[in-house]
Amino acid sequence: MDALELSRWQFAITTIYHFFFVPVTLGLSIFTALIETCYVFTKHEKWKPVAKKLTKFFGTLFLINFAMGVVTGIVQEFHFGMNWSEYSRFMGDIFGAPLALEALTAFFLESTFIGIWMFGWDKLNEKLHLLSIWLVAFGSNLSAFWILVANSFMQHPVGYSILNGRAEMANFTSLVTNPYVVGEYSHALFAGITTGGFVVVAVSAWKILRDEASRAAFATTIKAGAIFMLAGLFGVMGSGHLHTQYLAKANPMKLSSIEALWETENPAPFAIAAVINKDAGKNDFEIAVPGVFSFMLYNKFDGEVKGINDLQKMNEKEYGEGNYIPDVTGLFWSFRAMVGAGGFMIMLALFTLYLSFTNKLTKCSCFLKVLPYLLPVAFIANTAGWYIAEGGRQPWIVVGLQKTADAVSPNLTGGEVLLTTVGFTLIYLILAIAALYAAFHYIKTTAVTEGSEA
Amino acid sequence: MEATEFWFVLITVLFTGFFILEGFDYGVGTLLPFIGKNDIERRTVLSSIAPVWDGNEVWMITAGGALFAAFPHVYATMFSAFYLALFLMLVALILRGVAFELRNRYPSNAWKKTFDNAIFFGSLLPAFLWGVAVTDLIGGIPINEKMIFTGNFFNLLTGYSLFGGIVFAIMFTYQGATFLTVRLKDKELLERAFSKAESFGVRVVVFFIFFAGLTVYHTDFEESKTALLLFILAVVAFALSFSAVRGKNSKKAFILSSVGIALTTISVFVALFPRLMVSSMNPDYSLTIFNAASTPYTLSIMTKAAIALVPVVLIYQGISYYIFRKRVSGEDLGEH
């Protein structure tokens, strides 16, 4: 493999790994801030110390996750210059601004206040301490906004002109208000809330079963976590739906590839499953529901959707000869994995709530036993979603403006990139084990009970 | 002032802040095994930087982001040229950052020892590599007419740049030692910090004098009288800081050490101006504020953002240092 292909693998491995932690940070920071808000404002004498311990409990899990997110995030910031120098040159005038703004507005905020929050329990009054976790949550979620502003430009360039051999910013406001950002950001934020909620649910289920002394406290958080998760899931569905409709205008090739729709059709069917034959430009076999794809886009059961083969011809006309079709098989199945995982999580959250509100949680211990093992479902959905976003814009690194193949650093050798790719992968594996080990140890050994502080 | 000049100054400011603040974080990490002789002591040493190191590291990330936004060609050329060096730095920073968080999360000596090693190497290695990088920047590296680096990893490791790496490692270790004299409370720890500050104080001054000589020989520093003067003033600041250490005046020692670092950084950027990366192949191929910058439009937006936001950041980081101003002691170690 050459430097280009290895750099793509490296970016895929390091972003996907980074994006294991990011959604947890987005959701769990808000959740931790919410419990601390309960702690600060509750009038209930008995509940107050429990709420404080719960804040520290989920806050600690948040901290372990946050540290992983921070260190893997630095790799991403460096990666653009290290492996994609020609991209950085071509896009720097536009891409650099949101990145620098992310550092100035969000990274400083979250990193400074996480320190204050972590070590400030005895040094600040309750309300200021509460303010610091809200600033952390705000900073984390603001940082996601800026990076998705940058990413949205790559998906759907706006407010630029091509001058001096590079993309130059013509309008900062249109960069920030790119309609693509709305879809990407809201979808990511709600995915974060879902993931954070599921972490709370999974950990609470484990504690309810195995730690009798802490059972009461975690019976509360499993309820709160499931509500949080469900709110996230509805948000994910809504934003996903709107974003899909927007994709029809912004990037039809990505959209039709997700649905493996090879020929232009009206009304367009939705394939539940298909055997995709990329070389022949068709599906050898498919189970399809007529009209549903049109319905997803136009809210009615008819309407034309352009097929991949026609879009390929249109692309060739516009950009010259070449293959403009992304990884249809990967996108098709990623989308189904993501939506399937979402639907499955809705059922889990609803069933958890049903058991909680009817006080049947402990009677249904096998469900509680299984719940923690299902947590990876959320991460599968997140990874699949990220793959759709990034895989769907190939062969472009910036849709219509620069191809991925033209973006790689020309001075790198395959050997160098192989070394760093193997290096990052190994370190990431070791760290994942260490972080999970520490988190499990903490969950196992930390009781949350009534009474004075431990 | 032109927008490009403003951003050159701002990047100087960001690197200055970064080297002063992360300087003592690196130094404390490097000194950890020498000042902390048992677990409680090491936890005490670490607690001096625990609430602030993450915010300090953001100075580096912001400097990187600012380079990307204001001088994208510098960001592209520098990061791809220093490829393997930056890989090593990232590995070090990853291990160090995770170690700070995980060290106390499992009650096993092997676990703690592993992460203490990660903190030690994860602090020493970046300190060294920054020295290598800075000397490479002023010494020049092979960059062609397309702004592309044509050398390899070993072109970055000259005798001069390796010496620069050692000087930076010593400078940051000294900065960490003076910081610990300000932040520690327990008598034995404080004595050890002072003794490390003394031994590294001598080294800083001696190595800096050699470094100044080598720099004049290997670069075009002598063309800028101001840069040279600032460099000499940096040596003076370190010497005065060292004498403050001997007089047990920890605050003065730390402030003067910070001044020394600031003068060194500013001197480097003054010598570079208007260049940001020097090409050893042909002076015309160097990356400057003229040929490597973003458009005036982007720069003007970023200028407004920087003017509005940097003071706010300084205020709340200042507040954080104010909250954690009390000297740390083994007796006050909380659950963390």
Side-chain angles (χ1 to χ4, degrees):
Chain A
M1 278 200 274
D2 57 3
L4 169 66
E5 203 153 325
L6 283 161
S7 292
R8 293 188 61 188
W9 271 106
Q10 185 176 127
F11 195 77
I13 292 168
T14 54
T15 5
I16 286 173
Y17 189 80
H18 178 56
F19 204 68
F20 286 153
F21 306 104
V22 171
V24 180
T25 297
L26 298 183
L28 205 52
S29 63
I30 299 175
F31 189 83
T32 308
L34 284 172
I35 333 178
E36 190 170 348
T37 309
C38 292
Y39 155 65
V40 171
F41 290 103
T42 186
K43 297 272 187 286
H44 208 287
E45 283 297 316
K46 242 178 161 182
W47 162 245
K48 196 168 168 87
V50 178
K52 183 172 184 183
K53 281 182 217 165
L54 281 172
T55 308
K56 285 194 177 179
F57 182 87
F58 287 108
T60 301
L61 298 182
F62 169 70
L63 286 173
I64 295 172
N65 170 76
F66 185 80
M68 296 292 285
V70 167
V71 296
T72 54
I74 308 175
V75 176
Q76 296 316 114
E77 195 212 19
F78 280 31
H79 198 104
F80 301 115
M82 286 170 72
N83 288 55
W84 306 102
S85 67
E86 297 317 290
Y87 166 80
S88 302
R89 285 181 212 287
F90 180 75
M91 277 283 288
D93 193 53
I94 291 165
F95 196 83
L99 220 62
L101 285 168
E102 183 183 20
L104 275 172
T105 59
F107 288 160
F108 269 125
L109 196 69
E110 49 179 340
S111 63
T112 306
F113 284 95
I114 195 82
I116 293 177
W117 184 79
M118 205 168 164
F119 297 96
W121 281 100
D122 306 322
K123 295 187 190 288
L124 293 175
N125 72 36
E126 283 180 356
K127 285 191 180 147
L128 282 175
H129 191 262
L130 175 65
L131 177 67
S132 63
I133 188 74
W134 275 113
L135 288 173
V136 171
F138 174 72
S140 302
N141 285 283
L142 184 62
S143 116
F145 171 76
W146 285 119
I147 198 64
L148 291 178
V149 164
N151 184 266
S152 291
F153 184 90
M154 297 164 74
Q155 310 282 355
H156 181 57
V158 289
Y160 70 95
S161 43
I162 301 292
L163 286 170
N164 309 312
R166 64 177 179 181
E168 297 194 340
M169 200 196 294
N171 191 333
F172 179 71
T173 317
S174 44
L175 179 72
V176 177
T177 56
N178 186 349
Y180 213 97
V181 181
V182 181
E184 266 203 345
Y185 179 64
S186 55
H187 204 54
L189 174 66
F190 286 122
I193 290 174
T194 305
T195 312
F198 203 168
V199 168
V200 173
V201 168
V203 172
S204 304
W206 196 93
K207 290 296 276 185
I208 289 170
L209 270 186
R210 289 181 180 75
D211 180 359
E212 216 168 308
S214 310
R215 189 169 283 168
F218 287 100
T220 311
T221 54
I222 201 170
K223 226 183 272 179
I227 293 171
F228 199 65
M229 185 180 164
L230 202 59
L233 284 162
F234 284 126
V236 162
M237 280 198 305
S239 58
H241 176 64
L242 292 178
H243 194 53
T244 309
Q245 297 197 329
Y246 180 67
L247 265 188
K249 281 178 256 164
N251 195 342
M253 180 60 106
K254 185 191 230 172
L255 181 68
S256 293
S257 301
I258 289 169
E259 302 301 355
L261 183 79
W262 293 94
E263 302 305 333
T264 304
E265 291 194 47
N266 182 7
F270 177 84
I272 294 165
V275 179
I276 293 160
N277 186 340
K278 201 181 168 181
D279 298 325
K282 67 186 184 71
N283 296 337
D284 288 339
F285 171 77
E286 63 178 30
I287 306 167
V289 193
V292 170
F293 190 13
S294 293
F295 183 78
M296 283 162 61
L297 301 182
Y298 311 118
N299 303 329
K300 58 187 169 100
F301 285 99
D302 56 64
E304 186 189 80
V305 185
K306 283 254 180 299
I308 298 166
N309 292 328
D310 282 337
L311 290 165
Q312 161 69 16
K313 279 180 213 141
M314 286 161 67
N315 270 295
E316 284 204 322
K317 220 183 205 173
E318 194 172 350
Y319 305 115
E321 246 174 75
N323 184 355
Y324 298 92
I325 305 173
D327 167 24
V328 178
T329 313
L331 292 170
F332 180 85
W333 288 111
S334 293
F335 186 76
R336 272 135 199 85
M338 180 180 76
V339 173
F344 183 59
M345 285 190 283
I346 289 180
M347 291 194 293
L348 288 180
L350 284 173
F351 194 56
T352 308
L353 283 175
Y354 165 73
L355 293 179
S356 299
F357 281 102
T358 52
N359 290 320
K360 286 183 190 150
L361 268 176
T362 41
K363 280 184 203 135
C364 206
S365 65
C366 54
F367 180 66
L368 291 185
K369 224 175 256 171
V370 175
L371 258 182
Y373 295 99
L374 296 176
L375 183 57
V377 172
F379 294 87
I380 290 170
N382 292 335
T383 305
W386 203 228
Y387 182 76
I388 296 164
E390 297 292 82
R393 66 173 154 75
Q394 303 300 333
W396 300 103
I397 194 164
V398 187
V399 174
L401 300 183
Q402 188 182 41
K403 288 201 175 137
T404 310
D406 302 325
V408 75
S409 304
N411 62 311
L412 297 183
T413 64
E416 286 172 317
V417 187
L418 182 66
L419 181 75
T420 57
T421 307
V422 172
F424 282 130
T425 308
L426 284 180
I427 287 171
Y428 279 8
L429 277 176
I430 295 167
L431 287 186
I433 294 167
L436 283 173
Y437 202 70
F440 284 142
H441 176 75
Y442 182 81
I443 293 169
K444 236 185 262 177
T445 54
T446 311
V448 178
T449 50
E450 283 180 25
S452 64
E453 231 177 293
Chain B
M1 198 178 355
E2 294 277 324
T4 46
E5 291 171 5
F6 173 83
W7 276 87
F8 187 91
V9 172
L10 190 66
I11 280 163
T12 310
V13 170
L14 287 169
F15 271 101
T16 306
F18 164 54
F19 285 147
I20 291 174
L21 297 170
E22 270 285 86
F24 65 71
D25 289 339
Y26 291 155
V28 170
T30 306
L31 290 168
L32 175 66
F34 305 104
I35 293 187
K37 295 291 183 195
N38 57 43
D39 185 46
I40 298 274
E41 289 185 356
R42 283 192 283 273
R43 281 177 64 189
T44 311
V45 169
L46 288 175
S47 70
S48 70
I49 54 167
V52 292
W53 74 268
D54 198 359
N56 294 343
E57 194 169 82
V58 174
W59 283 80
M60 174 188 78
I61 295 168
T62 307
L67 271 181
F68 201 169
F71 303 107
H73 289 295
V74 176
Y75 172 79
T77 304
M78 190 189 291
F79 281 59
S80 56
F82 294 165
Y83 191 73
L84 290 179
L86 284 177
F87 167 70
L88 290 175
M89 182 163 338
L90 285 171
V91 169
L93 294 179
I94 290 170
L95 292 177
R96 187 185 73 121
V98 173
F100 281 137
E101 180 55 41
L102 295 188
R103 184 196 183 278
N104 298 328
R105 298 245 175 252
Y106 195 74
S108 131
N109 287 332
W111 173 278
K112 285 180 181 170
K113 186 143 182 52
T114 309
F115 285 115
D116 284 345
N117 284 329
I119 291 171
F120 173 74
F121 288 108
S123 302
L124 182 57
L125 189 61
F128 173 78
L129 288 171
W130 275 113
V132 174
V134 168
T135 31
D136 277 334
L137 283 184
I138 48 177
I141 53 172
I143 297 170
N144 70 15
E145 74 284 0
K146 286 183 177 147
M147 300 186 175
I148 292 165
F149 175 66
T150 59
N152 60 42
F153 182 53
F154 297 100
N155 291 107
L156 304 174
L157 303 176
T158 62
Y160 171 57
S161 71
L162 290 174
F163 189 77
I166 294 169
V167 170
F168 266 60
I170 292 173
M171 175 171 83
F172 289 150
T173 308
Y174 177 67
Q175 170 82 343
T178 60
F179 178 76
L180 284 174
T181 64
V182 179
R183 297 286 288 121
L184 292 174
K185 187 175 171 191
D186 304 324
K187 193 158 166 280
E188 261 180 63
L189 287 178
L190 199 54
E191 269 169 21
R192 268 179 235 147
F194 267 113
S195 114
K196 286 293 164 203
E198 266 195 51
S199 58
F200 277 91
V202 181
R203 281 170 221 177
V204 170
V205 176
V206 172
F207 274 76
F208 248 78
I209 291 168
F210 279 106
F211 189 46
L214 280 173
T215 301
V216 170
Y217 177 74
H218 278 280
T219 69
D220 51 15
F221 243 68
E222 77 274 6
E223 284 172 23
S224 167
K225 294 269 177 327
T226 325
L228 215 52
L229 180 70
L230 288 168
F231 209 93
I232 293 164
L233 284 176
V235 181
V236 173
F238 283 122
L240 288 174
S241 168
F242 173 59
S243 100
V245 167
R246 301 200 64 177
K248 301 282 180 213
N249 187 340
S250 51
K251 270 190 190 143
K252 193 173 162 194
F254 173 68
I255 290 169
L256 281 166
S257 168
S258 305
V259 170
I261 292 177
L263 289 168
T264 309
T265 318
I266 296 166
S267 152
V268 164
F269 278 96
V270 168
L272 279 173
F273 188 84
R275 301 163 302 176
L276 281 146
M277 290 189 87
V278 178
S279 167
S280 57
M281 295 171 85
N282 183 335
D284 294 337
Y285 301 163
S286 291
L287 275 67
T288 67
I289 64 169
F290 309 111
N291 67 8
S294 284
T295 56
Y297 176 69
T298 297
L299 287 176
S300 78
I301 285 173
M302 293 310 297
T303 302
K304 283 176 209 148
I307 289 172
L309 292 166
V310 171
V312 179
V313 170
L314 288 174
I315 289 169
Y316 65 64
Q317 284 214 332
I319 291 174
S320 153
Y321 279 94
Y322 181 76
I323 293 172
F324 299 105
R325 67 193 175 283
K326 233 180 90 189
R327 283 178 182 264
V328 295
S329 158
E331 287 163 17
D332 306 332
L333 289 176
E335 62 204 280
H336 209 75

